[in-house]
Amino acid sequence: MTTLHRPLSVSLLLLLWSAAPALAREPRTSRAPEPLLSLLEPTGEGCEWIRLQPLSAVRQVIARLAVDCQGGATALSRDGKHGAARFWRGGVSAPVTGRPTFPERFPSPAFRDRLFLVDVETATATELPLPGSGELIEFGFDAEGQLLGLTLQKPTPEQERQGVVELDGTRVVLETNDGRRPLLTHAFQWRDGAWKRREVKATTDTTGPRVLALRQKLGERSSHTLDPRFTPEELEDDVVLDQLYAFSPEETEGEWTLLRRGGTRLAVWSIPFGEEEALATGLVRKVDKQKVSALPGFPLRPNDLASVQTRGAFLLLSLADSGAHPYLYRGGKLVWNSESARAVTFWPSPPGK
């Protein structure tokens, strides 16, 4: 825990300023406050969920879980008092094309999907059953601190032929006219020791749980934060583009685009995704006015999908989806990295900040 020093009294501060006016006139320099990170880290006995101050190396274990960290994802309530950790085959990174810089270890046949509810204040974890009706795709906490789970379910062949599903007195018409695979998506809430269905809708394999109204209520979760999708800006500065040209890969599908996060401007080799979005790759350059510079030590390449996060003056880059191989920068200087942590995100700021 960081040690807090007792502040000087106002009268003492005035005395110091009057005794040393030259010091009082010097420009004040302020350092960005140290961020907090949320991460999963493998141990000899399983996986620990850590709240970390990366610069001072202050660590707090908020849960010890008897699982392998691979495939791990996390979610936190808005007040930071409760969390959920899930381990599943889908929580891995995939390359754009070819071989990734850091190939994922394929889960063994014994691997099983598991979900834990965590009390952050007492550092205790309780394993929960998975919601019924399909596969759990997303999870997180709503504004009231209730855990929600969103699933996708394949209709039976008979339901698909009929084009309609009757469920809990609700008639759901499947989407069968556009050539995409029709699916059902459900929103469950964990309440009174069981999953209660709150919403069900028809969807497809391309839209997934995004059609659920309750999805908009999900708060901080690593699956959302580590998503490589972003809305790109066109790079129109020829001076910047000339500097980037030498780094352009041979593939023609991608292009250099501008990604803004807070006060950070990055040139990212991105892959078009849909009509308005793009996928960020590991080929990244920092842009200051018209100067382009590499981020020291960052190992990802154009084949890798990347996650970009910012918190004040800090920039956090990692593999997308898995949140592995994180690199934390301040002002273009590498201040922390890890080759073992996963699901690395900034710890949510307290409400109102």
Side-chain angles (χ1 to χ4, degrees):
M1 181 175 294
T2 303
T3 302
L4 299 177
H5 299 280
R6 177 177 295 178
L8 294 171
S9 67
V10 174
S11 59
L12 181 55
L13 286 173
L14 289 174
L15 178 62
L16 291 172
W17 288 338
S18 62
L23 291 177
R25 288 196 299 267
E26 287 182 356
R28 296 174 61 185
T29 58
S30 60
R31 294 180 65 84
E34 181 174 5
L36 281 173
L37 299 180
S38 167
L39 58 91
L40 298 173
E41 191 166 70
T43 66
E45 299 178 353
C47 185
E48 291 183 340
W49 189 353
I50 305 291
R51 180 163 53 190
L52 174 71
Q53 294 175 232
L55 306 188
S56 54
V58 176
R59 298 159 48 89
Q60 178 187 3
V61 179
I62 63 171
R64 289 185 171 90
L65 307 166
V67 294
D68 190 308
C69 282
Q70 188 179 23
T74 61
L76 284 160
S77 63
R78 183 173 297 182
D79 58 10
K81 294 181 179 180
H82 296 92
R86 187 213 181 175
F87 302 86
W88 70 309
R89 293 176 184 272
V92 296
S93 299
V96 179
T97 58
R99 184 176 178 81
T101 303
F102 300 102
E104 291 276 8
R105 177 170 53 85
F106 193 78
S108 74
F111 185 94
R112 65 184 180 90
D113 197 344
R114 301 179 72 179
L115 177 67
F116 297 85
L117 183 62
V118 175
D119 186 316
V120 175
E121 295 183 323
T122 62
T124 56
T126 303
E127 184 166 5
L128 303 184
L130 297 174
S133 304
E135 181 180 11
L136 180 64
I137 301 298
E138 289 192 80
F139 65 100
F141 294 87
D142 63 17
E144 288 72 44
Q146 299 294 318
L147 180 62
L148 302 178
L150 313 183
T151 70
L152 284 177
Q153 179 187 16
K154 295 180 182 179
T156 66
E158 178 63 23
Q159 290 170 336
E160 194 166 343
R161 282 193 297 271
Q162 294 179 353
V164 66
V165 177
E166 296 284 348
L167 186 64
D168 295 341
T170 301
R171 188 173 186 269
V172 182
V173 179
L174 298 175
E175 298 186 23
T176 57
N177 298 324
D178 56 6
R180 293 175 290 181
R181 178 181 297 173
L183 298 170
L184 291 168
T185 182
H186 308 260
F188 291 90
Q189 181 185 75
W190 179 256
R191 189 175 69 242
D192 300 328
W195 290 102
K196 313 291 186 182
R197 193 189 332 266
R198 292 277 308 279
E199 187 181 3
V200 57
K201 284 190 176 180
T203 188
T204 67
D205 54 353
T206 58
T207 52
R210 283 180 286 176
V211 300
L212 292 168
L214 283 176
R215 185 178 184 271
Q216 305 304 315
K217 296 183 178 294
L218 291 178
E220 297 279 355
R221 58 200 190 278
S222 65
S223 62
H224 181 263
T225 302
L226 297 171
D227 194 317
R229 289 176 291 184
F230 73 104
T231 302
E233 294 183 44
E234 185 177 356
L235 265 173
E236 299 178 324
D237 191 323
D238 289 338
V239 175
V240 172
L241 288 170
D242 286 345
Q243 296 174 72
L244 294 171
Y245 178 76
F247 306 108
S248 302
E250 295 180 357
E251 61 193 70
T252 58
E253 184 182 8
E255 61 179 338
W256 287 105
T257 58
L258 186 65
L259 188 158
R260 297 177 192 261
R261 292 283 165 83
T264 301
R265 297 170 72 237
L266 297 175
V268 178
W269 183 259
S270 59
I271 307 300
F273 186 84
E275 296 182 358
E276 298 182 355
E277 292 184 311
L279 301 176
T281 76
L283 182 51
V284 177
R285 292 293 184 270
K286 194 169 185 291
V287 180
D288 292 308
K289 296 182 179 179
Q290 290 185 310
K291 180 183 178 181
V292 173
S293 57
L295 291 162
F298 189 57
L300 300 190
R301 298 293 180 261
N303 274 2
D304 305 305
L305 291 178
S307 162
V308 180
Q309 305 173 56
T310 58
R311 175 69 59 84
F314 292 89
L315 169 67
L316 177 61
L317 301 177
S318 69
L319 279 174
D321 301 321
S322 72
H325 304 284
Y327 281 68
L328 182 67
Y329 297 90
R330 179 175 57 193
K333 179 182 178 181
L334 179 63
V335 294
W336 176 84
N337 72 289
S338 172
E339 298 308 311
S340 59
R342 300 181 69 93
V344 182
T345 62
F346 288 111
W347 192 272
S349 299
K353 292 188 178 182

